[in-house]
Amino acid sequence: MQQSVEFRGRSREALGNEQIRSNFRQAMDGLMSKRKASFPDQDELRRLRLRAAEIRANALLKLPELLERLEQRCHENGIQVHWAESTAEANAIVLGIMQRHDARLLIKGKSMVSEEMELNHYLEAHGIECLESDLGEYILQLAGEPPSHIVAPAIHKSRQQIAQLFRQKFPDIPYSEDVDTLTRSARTILRRKFNQAPVGLSGVNFAVAETGTICLVENEGNGRMCTTVPPVHIAVTGIEKVVEHLADIPPLLSLLPRSATGQHITTYFNMISSPRKPGERDGPQEVHLVLLDNGRSRIYQDQELIQTLRCIRCGACMNHCPVYARIGGHAYGTTIPGPIGSILEPQKAGLDRLGDLPTASTLCGACAEVCPVKIPIPDLLNRLRFERVRSDGDNLTPGQGSQRHGWEPTVWRAWSWLHAHPLVYRLGTRIASRLRWLQPRRLGNWSRVRSTPRVASRTLHELAAKNGFNDE
Amino acid sequence: MSPSDRYPERPQRVYFFGTCLIDLLYPEAGLAGMQLIRREGVEVLYPRDQTCCGQPAWNSGYRDEARSVAMRQIGCFPQPYPIVVPSGSCAGMMRHQYPRLFQGSPEQETALAFAARIFELTEFLVHVLKIDLQDLGAPVEVALHVSCAARRELQVADEHRVLLQQLEGVTLLEQQRAEECCGFGGTFAVKHPEISAAMVEEKCNAVVATGATRLVSGDCGCLMNINGHAQHRNEALQGQHIASFLWERTNAAER
Ligand code: SF4
């Protein structure tokens, strides 16, 4: 997880990069129209979102209990469960499993939690090779870049850029900009590795407490390969991914791919409930489930902010975000970018480090409008804007009050005083309208791309009185 | 909620909350809004002690500061009349955010009752007054920008259209990505000027591409942004609040 306080610098850089801007704009336009086309029935969508939100809210309400049940069921099914409070603990658990099997190669399916853990770096420092098998992630691994989107990690790259990258990394393969040819090349390279890797790693979309089932949604089949071909499978997940019942899965599954890419179903949906049983001819001999906290149980304690944890990582909020569409995912500098990242990541890493992110929104509400589990993202952004400058705190959100400095608090106090004293306000606005010729011609950054609004010659207070609109 | 549950019968009297932006920069829009209502035979009261809904402080995280301003506004409208607001953004603040702002405070109940009386101007004209406009103006082509608060928080985008469609001489031209935010976002435009600039530039491009010379919106914040950028670029586009536009086209004395 590359993190830095330099959001502004990076977003400025991204805005100046025509290629990035047009790549994102085109991709987001496409994803938005696909999503829209996949929900022709607005009533159905409304019902499904209500149901999905209810399922996720219920699961979070009972989180401790459901996690225990999940552990119990997994245990009964023969899945080994590991608890990790921090990413360091989670990394150590994965390393431990690798070492026990003397494994030098890990083949990975797509997992945002492994990005959060910076697992690849960690394992490579311990002499273990990690290979991403999701096409987008594989491209990024070749390019040495982090994902810029949670569903389509390499979306910031154009087809031409990917073709160039392949030429550079694999000079023997004939140059092609054709998507199918590129995919075929990657597949040939990856196939060999699947057969060699002693351990496969995957993420988790849902973990069912009732049955101890790990659910994995994917399109490329690499997830199925990672979880069935190597003799050992490790699934890593945040503790919030649990749901109570198996029957909770269909409504969530009916929303997730449609919200994400406009697909009604994904090409693959894997439900993993145990390692290979005696007499079975395939599947891994060992299955591990690593449950990562990393700040989530703290978020869980706040009645409002807990809604952050409902997320099913469909990416719709970023696809519809006008800010994300302009600056792309890297500008955020966090594992999860976009609107959900702007509420989730500062709660994990602290508002002292990521205090800018909650301000990086116009609160236009496009995200909340499409979120399949109805997370009120603008309300939570507003809440975190409060947390970042509040003067008293409950010490629940890290970095509380850290952005309260400089002139800002004084300016708001003065503003508040003025607007709470109608007489002073009326006098002030009246004077401003009389002295409007003194008004500055430019207003800082505002006027760099806009004309400066002119104070009117009479205030509405005056016009109202003059036209017979009065108090009682 | 169906409109009939949400909207009251036509009242004899309403309050008007003009908003601070209109008060200082676009007073003609506020006046036009009041005149439109008065012409329908409803008395309009404009309490003098009103200032600002408190949204700037609320969205900047300064909740105590927002609360004391909001409390003063609530005090300005003591009678149970509906309160009409010529801005989706400010109406959204008073209708949907006041309950959050006062949650758990002694004023909670008062704030809830107050919020239920808030109506954005276009929804009030359409659903409560059931206004029927007679267009007196020359044919004109306009583009419409519905603010994000009007569109999503209050869900009154259709009401804007309905009003414009009542005007015979007005052709509404559709723009690309009409639902996308113009990039104003209050303090956002100041805190993240480059992102805001990129957004308003594209919004302005989309509006100009329609060929319309008039841009109508129910929110002065968006107008200040889009129109300001258009002026900066020397575009022929002219922005106008929907209240001013409706009044200008339907009031004989203005012709
Ligand atoms: S916040 Fe909602 S829209 Fe965004 S990724 Fe999560 S589930 Fe999807």
Side-chain angles (χ1 to χ4, degrees):
Chain A
M1 179 170 39
Q2 42 125 225
Q3 284 195 339
S4 118
V5 285
E6 250 316 303
F7 172 75
R8 278 152 213 272
R10 278 189 313 260
S11 61
R12 214 167 290 145
E13 216 171 282
L15 285 167
N17 186 330
E18 281 302 320
Q19 175 87 54
I20 295 257
R21 276 185 70 178
S22 81
N23 288 357
F24 273 99
R25 182 83 256 187
Q26 276 178 33
M28 297 307 116
D29 279 352
L31 287 167
M32 283 193 283
S33 62
K34 281 186 191 149
R35 174 191 174 273
K36 200 168 178 184
S38 74
F39 290 115
D41 181 348
Q42 288 302 305
D43 280 341
E44 185 217 9
L45 176 58
R46 206 168 305 128
R47 275 195 307 274
L48 269 174
R49 287 176 74 219
L50 266 175
R51 181 79 194 104
E54 200 176 59
I55 288 169
R56 292 296 298 132
N58 168 64
L60 292 172
L61 208 66
K62 303 183 187 168
L63 189 60
E65 176 199 331
L66 294 188
L67 285 170
E68 274 175 33
R69 200 180 310 163
L70 175 70
E71 181 182 30
Q72 179 65 32
R73 292 286 171 275
C74 283
H75 181 74
E76 289 162 14
N77 294 347
I79 298 175
Q80 301 175 46
V81 176
H82 311 261
W83 300 92
E85 200 174 315
S86 62
T87 54
E89 277 183 37
N91 281 328
I93 291 166
V94 175
L95 178 66
I97 298 169
M98 297 292 292
Q99 285 172 340
R100 225 173 315 125
H101 290 275
D102 226 353
R104 302 259 134 238
L105 172 63
L106 177 71
I107 189 126
K108 291 179 66 196
K110 201 172 148 354
S111 153
M112 289 312 290
V113 169
S114 76
E115 297 285 343
E116 177 181 345
M117 292 157 60
E118 293 182 276
L119 178 67
N120 294 11
H121 278 155
Y122 176 83
L123 289 182
E124 271 151 25
H126 286 83
I128 291 171
E129 184 194 350
C130 295
L131 189 70
E132 298 288 349
S133 66
D134 172 89
L135 183 58
E137 294 282 357
Y138 179 64
I139 291 165
L140 294 184
Q141 191 172 27
L142 291 177
E145 292 172 22
S148 63
H149 188 284
I150 60 175
V151 172
I155 198 115
H156 58 286
K157 290 205 174 298
S158 67
R159 191 157 42 99
Q160 289 75 15
Q161 288 172 314
I162 295 167
Q164 297 289 352
L165 180 68
F166 271 61
R167 169 152 68 190
Q168 196 192 332
K169 298 284 172 180
F170 308 108
D172 299 346
I173 304 176
Y175 182 81
S176 169
E177 291 184 2
D178 175 58
V179 177
D180 288 339
T181 314
L182 286 168
T183 310
R184 234 183 340 265
S185 308
R187 177 179 303 211
T188 318
I189 300 163
L190 286 169
R191 267 298 148 109
R192 280 197 297 272
K193 295 284 188 175
F194 273 118
N195 295 323
Q196 296 161 9
V199 182
L201 184 131
S202 76
V204 173
N205 289 94
F206 314 108
V208 185
E210 180 181 49
T211 52
T213 305
I214 300 165
C215 303
L216 193 61
V217 175
E218 50 131 355
N219 270 321
E220 296 173 13
N222 68 311
R224 181 157 300 175
M225 298 279 288
C226 284
T227 57
T228 53
V229 177
V232 180
H233 167 213
I234 306 172
V236 292
T237 184
I239 52 171
E240 81 281 18
K241 288 287 177 68
V242 68
V243 295
E244 185 168 13
H245 301 293
L246 197 59
D248 292 340
I249 299 299
L252 293 175
L253 203 54
S254 140
L255 278 173
L256 175 58
R258 283 198 275 174
S259 301
T261 55
Q263 292 171 284
H264 281 266
I265 53 170
T266 50
T267 318
Y268 294 85
F269 179 57
N270 309 287
M271 300 181 88
I272 300 154
S273 294
S274 76
R276 182 191 304 198
K277 291 185 186 135
E280 284 181 350
R281 304 181 57 184
D282 58 6
Q285 270 111 25
E286 260 178 46
V287 177
H288 298 264
L289 176 63
V290 181
L291 291 161
L292 173 65
D293 184 338
N294 191 28
R296 290 163 174 85
S297 58
R298 202 179 47 227
I299 301 174
Y300 161 83
Q301 290 172 48
D302 185 287
Q303 275 188 27
E304 187 180 26
L305 294 171
I306 189 175
Q307 298 174 97
T308 316
L309 300 178
R310 274 191 212 163
C311 177
I312 57 171
R313 303 282 189 271
C314 72
C317 57
M318 51 201 81
N319 299 347
H320 290 74
C321 177
V323 172
Y324 176 89
R326 299 303 185 303
I327 62 175
H330 287 161
Y332 291 79
T334 50
T335 306
I336 312 244
I340 178 64
S342 294
I343 56 172
L344 175 63
E345 301 285 8
Q347 294 185 67
K348 286 195 197 156
L351 287 157
D352 43 342
R353 295 177 64 189
L354 298 174
D356 269 344
L357 292 189
T359 69
S361 162
T362 60
L363 304 178
C364 75
C367 48
E369 189 177 44
V370 295
C371 174
V373 288
K374 294 173 78 82
I375 301 176
I377 298 175
D379 288 352
L380 302 185
L381 286 166
N382 172 284
R383 167 67 190 278
L384 291 173
R385 290 181 184 189
F386 168 60
E387 294 294 337
R388 69 197 275 286
V389 296
R390 71 187 284 183
S391 49
D392 61 317
D394 52 12
N395 286 324
L396 221 48
T397 308
Q400 245 171 9
S402 58
Q403 307 296 322
R404 190 182 183 90
H405 45 60
W407 282 99
E408 219 182 72
T410 317
V411 169
W412 283 114
R413 247 198 316 276
W415 176 92
S416 179
W417 185 85
L418 175 70
H419 290 88
H421 289 81
L423 213 69
V424 187
Y425 168 88
R426 274 206 299 283
L427 193 69
T429 50
R430 208 180 179 130
I431 293 173
S433 67
R434 292 308 177 277
L435 300 180
R436 65 185 188 136
W437 46 276
L438 281 177
Q439 190 199 335
R441 292 198 170 278
R442 301 184 57 80
L443 288 175
N445 278 327
W446 174 271
S447 305
R448 285 232 317 270
V449 297
R450 303 172 191 88
S451 65
T452 309
R454 285 270 286 155
V455 172
S457 61
R458 292 286 178 274
T459 65
L460 179 61
H461 276 79
E462 293 173 83
L463 290 186
K466 200 172 134 226
N467 287 276
F469 298 102
N470 294 311
D471 269 316
E472 292 303 312
Chain B
M1 211 189 315
S2 76
S4 54
D5 303 334
R6 189 172 148 199
Y7 297 109
E9 292 291 303
R10 165 189 290 255
Q12 289 195 328
R13 228 172 254 119
V14 298
Y15 282 124
F16 199 80
F17 180 80
T19 82
C20 62
L21 210 57
I22 285 185
D23 194 17
L24 198 60
L25 302 176
Y26 305 95
E28 69 289 346
L31 186 62
M34 292 193 279
Q35 283 166 323
L36 282 166
I37 300 171
R38 180 159 70 184
R39 192 175 62 193
E40 298 299 304
V42 174
E43 189 187 346
V44 181
L45 303 174
Y46 183 85
R48 289 199 323 154
D49 283 352
Q50 59 177 285
T51 60
C52 166
C53 66
Q55 177 167 215
W58 166 246
N59 278 343
S60 300
Y62 289 85
R63 294 193 169 182
D64 291 340
E65 288 78 357
R67 221 170 350 248
S68 60
V69 170
M71 209 52 235
R72 287 305 297 239
Q73 309 315 310
I74 294 178
C76 289
F77 303 87
Q79 301 302 322
Y81 316 140
I83 303 155
V84 182
V85 185
S87 155
S89 173
C90 311
M93 172 71 190
M94 298 169 107
R95 188 172 183 113
H96 295 289
Q97 305 299 318
Y98 274 20
R100 290 185 63 216
L101 180 59
F102 289 100
Q103 200 170 35
S105 78
E107 297 90 6
Q108 184 171 335
E109 288 305 310
T110 318
L112 276 172
F114 179 82
R117 287 160 55 209
I118 298 288
F119 298 93
E120 186 270 341
L121 178 67
T122 65
E123 64 173 337
F124 190 78
L125 294 177
V126 172
H127 297 296
V128 183
L129 298 186
K130 307 199 166 54
I131 200 167
D132 183 15
L133 297 165
Q134 296 301 315
D135 193 5
L136 305 172
V140 64
E141 295 185 320
V142 304
L144 169 68
H145 174 72
V146 180
S147 75
C148 299
R151 180 184 300 281
R152 304 199 177 91
E153 199 174 20
L154 298 169
Q155 314 216 342
V156 295
D158 287 346
E159 285 73 359
H160 285 60
R161 305 181 70 85
V162 163
L163 289 169
L164 293 179
Q165 280 158 357
Q166 285 188 11
L167 302 173
E168 260 171 36
V170 172
T171 310
L172 192 53
L173 299 179
E174 304 297 340
Q175 50 185 298
Q176 243 205 325
R177 299 193 192 105
E179 310 80 24
E180 195 169 90
C181 178
C182 72
F184 175 55
T187 51
F188 172 83
V190 183
K191 280 205 189 274
H192 300 283
E194 288 89 0
I195 307 175
S196 177
M199 289 167 73
V200 73
E201 186 191 336
E202 282 182 49
K203 176 58 72 181
C204 192
N205 291 347
V207 173
V208 168
T210 64
T213 49
R214 231 15 127 75
L215 171 69
V216 175
S217 176
D219 272 83
C220 286
C222 313
L223 278 175
M224 189 166 81
N225 186 36
I226 307 171
N227 201 36
H229 181 66
Q231 274 180 11
H232 176 83
R233 276 165 41 171
N234 290 320
E235 301 282 357
L237 190 72
Q238 276 218 335
Q240 196 174 26
H241 191 278
I242 192 165
S244 305
F245 183 71
L246 297 178
W247 180 249
E248 187 185 293
R249 297 209 49 106
T250 60
N251 180 43
E254 296 263 316
R255 304 274 106 221

